[in-house]
Amino acid sequence: MDWVKSFQNAIDYMEDHITEPLDYTRIGQEMHVSGFYFQKIFSILCGISPGEYIRNRRLTLAGSELLATDAKIIDIALKYGYDTPEGFTRAFTRFHGATPNAVRKQAIPLRSFSRLSISISVKGGSSMQYNIEQKEAFQILAKTQRFVKQEDILGRKDIPRFWADCHLDGTVAQLARMAKKDGVLRGGIVGMSTADTTVVKDFPYSIGAEYAGGAVPEGYALFDVPAATWAVFSADAGAPQHIQTLWHQIFTEFFPTSEYQPLGTYDLEVYTGGCAFGEVYSSEIWIAVSKK
């Protein structure tokens, strides 16, 4: 299926079921990816999580219904997923800047958050350095921490702290010593997210390196990365914020127009030189892909 069309199908599904409990696993089926991977793609493309989008859309529709009908406020609250009038009033006030009662009595202007529609626009040319590479299976030795999806799926809050902690406590140095220098990842340090469908409220993020063998240290785990086709994007000579820019570019420019689509399994940020907290460092984004 066309990648852009399938993403629009997922958005349309959310809109068609906006007053119902929404399950990301079911939404992800519209894109043929896991619920976790749908959340990741959505956040990269839109700059907000799907949870924020759903909340903003529900409050927009609730505001319109408040003005256009005589429905009871409690009924509107229940329709758009709020169990109590108090919870609805707090959320409504944060979004619109006024309470539901004040809006109905004084006709206060409301905020509107519009429905998303995906399209490809032609802009000034930009370039990406990438290779399509076939790689055999390999293993990654890593430390893992879990993060709340809605707050940090873009890696803007707690994941950088996790990296800082792993530098300070010697984890990164230990991984660098133990990394397989002549392997698939050329001795690089890896930031890795994987689709974990066993939970719905958080996701695992790992910092690791390609496993060279030997005893697995306490606190570490091994991940078996299957043989795959990888799209490898270079972010050489990039300052720290450039990696996020490259993620956005990959999903807005590369995948919509290329013959490849993400598998939704392993995504790797591979740091092959310098320090991710320095002014300049060498890094790559590895995404397991298949042909459309």
Side-chain angles (χ1 to χ4, degrees):
M1 179 182 288
D2 177 80
W3 194 84
V4 175
K5 185 177 186 300
S6 67
F7 186 56
Q8 184 65 59
N9 288 345
I11 292 171
D12 291 343
Y13 179 88
M14 287 194 294
E15 290 287 346
D16 292 343
H17 299 82
I18 197 71
T19 60
E20 305 168 19
L22 286 167
D23 176 73
Y24 292 127
T25 298
R26 174 64 188 87
I27 298 169
Q29 290 172 4
E30 297 292 323
M31 286 195 72
H32 308 286
V33 298
S34 69
F36 164 78
Y37 210 76
F38 164 73
Q39 291 179 82
K40 180 171 184 172
I41 293 171
F42 188 101
S43 299
I44 289 171
L45 289 176
C46 304
I48 62 172
S49 71
E52 291 174 277
Y53 174 79
I54 292 166
R55 181 170 60 251
N56 290 345
R57 288 290 296 142
R58 284 173 172 168
L59 289 168
T60 294
L61 296 171
S64 297
E65 194 162 328
L66 189 71
L67 289 180
T69 73
D70 294 326
K72 294 180 180 179
I73 292 175
I74 181 58
D75 292 335
I76 295 175
L78 292 172
K79 179 178 179 179
Y80 290 101
Y82 293 88
D83 295 331
T84 66
E86 294 78 15
F88 176 65
T89 295
R90 284 194 299 269
F92 190 96
T93 304
R94 281 195 301 268
F95 184 76
H96 290 289
T99 66
N101 277 320
V103 167
R104 179 160 274 177
K105 291 177 180 178
Q106 302 173 35
I108 295 170
L110 296 177
R111 179 186 174 197
S112 178
F113 190 89
S114 61
R115 176 174 179 155
L116 279 175
S117 179
I118 303 302
S119 64
I120 299 177
S121 60
V122 179
K123 300 180 180 179
S126 58
S127 63
M128 279 181 284
Q129 291 181 312
Y130 76 93
N131 292 314
I132 302 298
E133 302 180 10
Q134 305 287 332
K135 299 295 184 183
E136 296 300 319
F138 59 96
Q139 290 182 305
I140 289 178
L141 176 71
K143 275 191 176 181
T144 300
Q145 193 166 312
R146 306 194 74 91
F147 299 91
V148 177
K149 288 177 180 174
Q150 301 303 326
E151 293 182 358
D152 202 45
I153 201 166
L154 290 178
R156 291 175 175 168
K157 184 183 176 185
D158 292 329
I159 288 177
R161 232 176 277 146
F162 181 38
W163 272 100
D165 290 343
C166 285
H167 275 280
L168 290 171
D169 67 13
T171 295
V172 171
Q174 184 177 24
L175 287 167
R177 290 193 300 269
M178 299 180 68
K180 188 175 183 179
K181 302 301 188 291
D182 59 349
V184 173
L185 301 178
R186 308 184 304 282
I189 302 299
V190 175
M192 176 176 66
S193 61
T194 58
D196 187 339
T197 58
T198 64
V199 292
V200 295
K201 292 184 178 180
D202 58 17
F203 72 98
Y205 181 88
S206 304
I207 295 174
E210 188 173 354
Y211 180 55
V216 175
E218 185 177 353
Y220 292 78
L222 281 178
F223 294 84
D224 293 309
V225 181
T229 301
W230 296 87
V232 180
F233 301 86
S234 174
D236 284 349
Q241 68 270 20
H242 289 182
I243 199 79
Q244 295 298 338
T245 300
L246 181 58
W247 274 112
H248 188 266
Q249 194 176 4
I250 290 167
F251 279 95
T252 56
E253 299 177 25
F254 177 78
F255 282 126
T257 58
S258 79
E259 61 180 325
Y260 294 94
Q261 60 188 2
L263 279 179
T265 52
Y266 281 90
D267 291 342
L268 311 176
E269 292 177 0
V270 183
Y271 299 96
T272 54
C275 170
F277 293 91
E279 288 301 317
V280 176
Y281 62 94
S282 298
S283 62
E284 296 170 337
I285 291 176
W286 290 47
I287 301 177
V289 298
S290 64
K291 285 196 172 181
K292 294 176 181 176

